[in-house]
Every structure is written in structure tokens, then in C-alpha cells.
Amino acid sequence: MKYKKMKISEIYKKNKKSLSFEIFPPKKDSELRNIDETLAVLCELNPDYISVTFGAGGGTGCSRTIELARKIKYEYHVEPVVHLTCLHYDKTEIDGFARILENEGIQNVLALRGDKNPNILEKGDYKHASDLIAYMKPKWDFCFLGACYPECHPESDNRISEIKNLKTKVNAGAEVLLSQLFFDNKQFFRFLEDCRIAEINVSVIPGIMPVINVSQIKRMVTMCGATFPMRFQKIINKYENNKKALFNAGMSYALSQIIDLLVSDIDGIHLYTMNNPLVARKICEGIHNII
């Protein structure tokens, strides 16, 4: 079955505010079949696209990413964005992935370096996501998205080097930037201003993750370096032992972030759903008349 191709960058050329979600492929084949419950809810909310995370280091995780992206595109008629990491792959393997995506009619790729893992060999062909984009751009007709970090990548030396590296990524061909999660909008607005000063003029889409699980969110924050604003910290301190109250307070906090971003004329919202359809539905109900 064929389905029309759509490059994500076209959304922002029309000055349309986007709504998008991120999901991850389940680790077990049986769970992959159960993902339909989540997809049914997400796609009912009419997102502009859904990004699908990528299993590092090869194996079944990569094939599940492509299988899930294909399901989103052909069964739910929503454009998928496939995450593609490069640190642990060589050029031959990347070309192989690209051919599969092209054959499946998948046109949008979120180019990532990938997390370093001492147990997985780094191939050496690509050290950065910008290297991956620079290699693929002349060969393949994809729309490339890139990741960005409002509070700097944990491995960055400083904000200046962070913006320089991001500029390199955009110059290589990244047409849209999706941000890592953050909890303080001031950090995002400052980052966006730095981007514009550096003449990074592509759409920068903020990534929001509602707080519904304390251990999960602390792990994510440790990985990406996001800070806890005092108002956010008070929510954690007060409700970390009350699951229902934490869910409600966390959703309210995320919704307040999103409303503030949208009324500040940000181009869209990318929601980290953690495969939880209830989270997506609650957020979308709250912003239904805004986005």
C-alpha cells in the first residue's frame, strides 16, 4: 500500500503550529501488538507527526522502530519521524537503513548521535549527528530533523560551543529542531534567543514531558541535564508518595508550560508521551482551543 509522502519541514513553512508525539517501540513482540491501544488514542488527537525512537547497536530494536513507523503511516495515516542514531553504525549500515526507509515511503528522519555505551562498539564513521546528516543529505531525499538541548548537552563545554555545534548541524541540513525536555520555560526562551542571534532560523520545537512518575523523571533529568525549578521541586516534594495527586499536579504543570509557550508564538509542541495515551489525551484536551 502506498501513502503520500510529506516532509515535516513543510508544516512550518505554512506557519502552522504543530502538535507531535514521541513513542518508543516495545521491547517484546507481544507488546508491539498491544501498541495499537496507544496509537488509536494518539492518532485520534490528530497529531502532525509521531516520532519513533531507535534501538542502539542493531538487533531487533531497529526493526521494531521501522515496523512501528510503518504501522503509524499506513494504518493510522499519520506521518512518522524515525529516529536514526549513528555512533555505532558504519556507512554501509546507514545506507541499508536509508534504503529500507525509502522503500517504505518514510521521508522524515531525526538524526542523532546516540548514547555512548561501553558495551557497544563505536564504528568511527560518524562522531556527531551533523556528520550523519552531512553524509545522508546528498544521497537521500529525506527531511532531516535534529535534536537540541535548551540547557546544553551534558557533554558540552559551554553554551557557546553548544550553539556552534547546533549551527553546524543546521548547516549540514537539519530543517527542524526538536528539543530535549525541560521544566523551566525561561531556559527555552533564552536558548531560542541564542539560536536566533547565531542565525539558526529553522523551527525549534519544545519537548515537554509531564511528570507522572518520580523515579522515571529523575532518571531522565540526570541523563539530559534539565534543572528543577523551585515550583516544580515543590510538586515533587509534596506529592511523590501520592501517585494520583502527582499525576494531576504534573499534568497541570506541563499544561501551564505548554500554554505559556504557545501564547509566546512558539511553532509547536512535541510531547514525550512515554507510551501513555492518557497523558496525551489530557494534554490535548487542555490545549484544544489554543493550538
Side-chain angles (χ1 to χ4, degrees):
M1 175 183 177
K2 293 296 183 181
Y3 180 62
K4 68 176 183 178
K5 295 181 179 181
M6 184 191 76
K7 292 187 176 182
I8 298 305
S9 55
E10 295 300 318
I11 295 171
Y12 303 105
K13 290 177 183 177
K14 298 175 183 177
N15 295 319
K16 180 183 183 297
K17 291 191 183 300
S18 67
L19 173 65
S20 56
F21 302 131
E22 178 185 287
I23 62 174
F24 55 85
K27 293 182 179 180
K28 299 179 181 178
D29 289 333
S30 58
E31 294 173 347
L32 185 60
R33 290 190 291 271
N34 295 334
I35 197 75
D36 281 292
E37 179 182 355
T38 296
L39 285 176
V41 173
L42 295 184
C43 295
E44 179 187 326
L45 299 169
N46 297 315
D48 293 284
Y49 53 94
I50 297 176
S51 72
V52 186
T53 63
F54 192 74
T60 57
C62 307
S63 61
R64 288 196 183 105
T65 294
I66 294 169
E67 183 179 349
L68 183 52
R70 192 180 190 285
K71 176 185 283 286
I72 291 168
K73 187 176 184 74
Y74 294 112
E75 295 183 25
Y76 291 92
H77 306 297
V78 173
E79 198 66 30
V81 173
V82 169
H83 293 211
L84 181 59
T85 63
C86 63
L87 193 62
H88 305 106
Y89 299 101
D90 59 30
K91 292 177 180 178
T92 300
E93 290 170 309
I94 290 297
D95 283 338
F97 291 133
R99 279 191 291 271
I100 293 172
L101 295 177
E102 184 178 59
N103 290 338
E104 295 291 354
I106 295 171
Q107 189 124 13
N108 300 283
V109 173
L110 175 58
L112 303 163
R113 184 197 70 176
D115 296 328
K116 293 186 175 182
N117 186 332
N119 298 317
I120 303 177
L121 177 67
E122 296 180 16
K123 296 296 180 70
D125 283 0
Y126 313 99
K127 292 185 177 181
H128 308 284
S130 56
D131 299 330
L132 177 63
I133 298 173
Y135 172 74
M136 294 185 71
K137 186 76 173 177
K139 299 184 66 174
W140 305 97
D141 185 27
F142 297 128
C143 171
F144 291 98
L145 295 81
C148 60
Y149 289 73
E151 297 179 69
C152 290
H153 189 282
E155 297 176 25
S156 287
D157 293 329
N158 51 53
R159 292 186 68 88
I160 294 175
S161 64
E162 177 78 12
I163 295 297
K164 284 183 177 179
N165 291 335
L166 190 59
K167 178 75 170 176
T168 299
K169 188 184 298 186
V170 171
N171 288 345
E175 299 178 65
V176 179
L177 298 174
L178 300 181
S179 95
Q180 184 56 270
L181 63 89
F182 59 92
F183 303 105
D184 185 349
N185 284 5
K186 291 179 181 178
Q187 296 281 356
F188 180 82
F189 292 134
R190 178 190 174 194
F191 168 74
L192 185 58
E193 182 179 5
D194 289 343
C195 287
R196 300 316 185 212
I197 291 172
E199 297 184 345
I200 297 173
N201 295 317
V202 300
S203 291
V204 182
I205 310 303
I208 301 296
M209 177 183 283
V211 182
I212 58 173
N213 180 301
V214 173
S215 60
Q216 179 186 70
I217 208 69
K218 286 183 177 179
R219 183 171 66 253
M220 290 298 295
V221 167
T222 299
M223 290 174 59
C224 70
T227 57
F228 283 151
M230 183 57 66
R231 184 165 70 95
F232 180 87
Q233 188 64 58
K234 287 179 179 178
I235 290 175
I236 299 295
N237 293 341
K238 187 172 181 63
Y239 298 121
E240 63 179 330
N241 296 316
N242 186 329
K243 187 176 180 179
K244 183 177 180 180
L246 177 61
F247 180 90
N248 291 331
M251 295 299 291
S252 295
Y253 186 92
L255 187 57
S256 69
Q257 274 192 276
I258 290 170
I259 291 173
D260 181 42
L261 290 163
L262 291 176
V263 299
S264 300
D265 208 27
I266 298 303
D267 287 344
I269 297 295
H270 190 61
L271 189 66
Y272 294 102
T273 69
M274 303 307 292
N275 287 23
N276 188 325
L278 180 59
V279 167
R281 184 178 291 281
K282 290 281 188 183
I283 290 293
C284 290
E285 287 173 354
I287 63 174
H288 178 70
N289 295 318
I290 301 174
I291 200 166

